[in-house]
């Protein structure tokens, strides 16, 4: 399954990313999160930082609007940001499927104990569509 971000040919990759971030924003608001868009913290630029209105849980969401498959370093960077800034969870919302190495990373990650394994969620195209 594939999701394509439709915009003008002359639009930058930033514009395409902004469209996906807006979609993710709507999805997160529907799930009870307050969303802070594009914030800069020491050592990182975050796509979306969200706080759940009821639980107070803070999550970091990385949005990737790209055609090529998601690579494993993107998932490791997501994990590093979640751990470094002590966020409850990290989500990847992507228009592309996971590449071979990234799939392996995701499968190994899901096998971690319940507390650790639930810290990362990978929303590939089918999961994004199912969530909407």
């Amino acid at each position: 399954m594939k999701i394509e971000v439709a915009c003008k040919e002359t639009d930058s990759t930033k514009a395409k990313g902004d469209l996906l971030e807006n979609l993710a924003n709507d999805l997160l608001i529907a799930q009870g999160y307050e969303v802070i868009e594009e914030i800069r913290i020491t050592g990182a630029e975050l796509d979306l930082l969200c706080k759940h209105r009821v639980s107070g849980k803070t999550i970091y969401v990385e949005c990737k609007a790209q055609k090529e498959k998601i690579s494993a370093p993107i998932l490791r960077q997501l994990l590093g940001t979640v751990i470094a800034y002590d966020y409850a969870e990290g989500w990847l919302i992507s228009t592309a499927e996971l590449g071979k190495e990234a799939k392996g990373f995701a499968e190994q990650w899901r096998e971690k104990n319940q507390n650790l394994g639930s810290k990362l969620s990978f929303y590939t195209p089918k999961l994004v569509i199912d969530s909407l």
Side-chain angles (χ1 to χ4, degrees):
M1 186 170 288
K2 205 161 112 176
I3 296 174
E4 290 196 31
V5 177
C7 56
K8 297 174 189 168
E9 282 187 42
T10 56
D11 283 349
S12 67
T13 53
K14 168 95 170 89
K16 292 176 184 178
D18 288 347
L19 286 171
L20 181 60
E21 286 177 26
N22 288 336
L23 175 69
N25 188 339
D26 292 344
L27 177 68
L28 288 154
I29 288 171
Q31 293 183 25
Y33 288 91
E34 287 181 36
V35 179
I36 306 165
E37 297 179 52
E38 289 186 49
I39 67 166
R40 191 142 188 72
I41 57 175
T42 307
E45 184 176 318
L46 306 179
D47 288 343
L48 300 173
L49 187 60
C50 312
K51 186 172 185 175
H52 198 270
R53 288 186 187 102
V54 176
S55 70
K57 174 172 63 174
T58 302
I59 66 168
Y60 160 54
V61 180
E62 178 68 28
C63 298
K64 291 290 183 192
Q66 62 187 50
K67 289 183 180 180
E68 61 276 354
K69 292 185 176 191
I70 300 296
S71 63
I74 291 172
L75 303 186
R76 287 193 298 269
Q77 184 177 12
L78 174 67
L79 175 60
T81 301
V82 169
I83 291 170
Y85 297 98
D86 201 27
Y87 297 129
E89 293 179 26
W91 294 9
L92 171 73
I93 298 179
S94 172
T95 58
E97 295 293 338
L98 300 178
K100 183 179 178 182
E101 297 293 323
K103 279 183 187 175
F105 177 94
E107 287 171 12
Q108 286 182 328
W109 189 259
R110 285 185 197 106
E111 293 173 5
K112 301 275 184 199
N113 70 49
Q114 182 64 23
N115 289 337
L116 193 55
S118 66
K119 282 191 96 58
L120 296 180
S121 296
F122 311 112
Y123 285 82
T124 52
K126 182 173 179 355
L127 288 174
V128 170
I129 290 168
D130 289 348
S131 296
L132 292 172

